């Protein structure tokens, strides 16, 4: 697993934990940067990803809700929400190529979520990439 893939996985872990504990992800990130809970401290890319997701939180949630076709955010598995938020941030707002962002999100869904999640994640993020020129 490459360094950026590991950083994405750690960003998903933080986003998921923050939601489960009903904490602000930025506050949890600051806490983990100040006092790491693992042997390896969070790297800059992980921090940038979490900060980026939080910075576009409302817009990302609105777009996921709009384009998820019959699935509200609340109905999605919590880990899928974290993966989709990160994937949407990378597809829409980062310098990461869209195909890479989608591929990484699908791989995380295969590893962390249900059997149906990779297809759902792929379809929703591909749709966001498709409509991106009209959004940003």
């Amino acid at each position: 697993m490459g360094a950026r893939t590991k950083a994405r996985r750690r960003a998903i872990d933080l986003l998921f934990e923050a939601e489960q504990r009903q904490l602000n992800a930025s506050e949890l990130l600051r806490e983990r940067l100040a006092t790491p809970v693992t042997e390896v401290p969070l790297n800059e890319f992980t921090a940038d990803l979490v900060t980026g997701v939080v910075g576009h939180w409302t817009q990302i949630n609105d777009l996921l809700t709009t384009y998820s076709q019959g699935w509200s955010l609340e109905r999605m598995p919590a880990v899928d929400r974290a993966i989709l938020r990160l994937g949407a941030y990378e597809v829409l707002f980062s310098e990461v190529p869209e195909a890479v962002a989608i591929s990484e999100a699908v791989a995380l869904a295969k590893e962390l979520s249900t059997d149906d999640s990779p297809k759902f994640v792929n379809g929703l993020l591909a749709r966001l990439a498709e409509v991106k020129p009209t959004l940003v």
Side-chain angles (χ1 to χ4, degrees):
M1 185 182 300
R4 289 187 145 228
T5 299
K6 288 178 185 176
R8 285 182 181 93
R9 168 71 190 266
R10 293 188 78 190
I12 295 297
D13 291 346
L14 270 171
L15 293 168
F16 177 83
E17 180 183 350
E19 184 175 8
Q20 294 305 299
R21 293 178 56 200
Q22 298 180 342
L23 299 172
N24 180 293
S26 290
E27 291 174 18
L28 182 59
L29 174 63
R30 277 192 292 279
E31 178 184 311
R32 291 296 159 76
L33 289 171
T35 310
V37 295
T38 61
E39 289 181 22
V40 180
L42 294 176
N43 69 24
E44 186 177 339
F45 187 56
T46 298
D48 290 345
L49 290 171
V50 173
T51 301
V53 170
V54 171
H56 296 280
W57 190 267
T58 301
Q59 187 176 10
I60 288 170
N61 284 346
D62 289 347
L63 290 168
L64 292 175
T65 298
T66 298
Y67 291 100
S68 63
Q69 297 184 346
W71 283 82
S72 66
L73 276 177
E74 297 78 26
R75 189 172 163 215
M76 295 175 196
V79 71
D80 288 5
R81 284 192 300 270
I83 293 167
L84 285 165
R85 285 174 175 138
L86 179 64
Y89 166 72
E90 286 199 288
V91 165
L92 297 171
F93 303 107
S94 79
E95 300 298 319
V96 174
E98 294 167 3
V100 171
I102 294 169
S103 176
E104 289 282 334
V106 169
L108 285 164
K110 284 179 185 175
E111 178 185 349
L112 301 171
S113 196
T114 69
D115 290 343
D116 294 330
S117 293
K119 183 178 177 182
F120 180 70
V121 167
N122 184 61
L124 183 47
L125 293 179
R127 180 67 178 138
L128 291 179
E130 184 181 303
V131 300
K132 178 180 176 178
T134 66
L135 301 175
V136 289

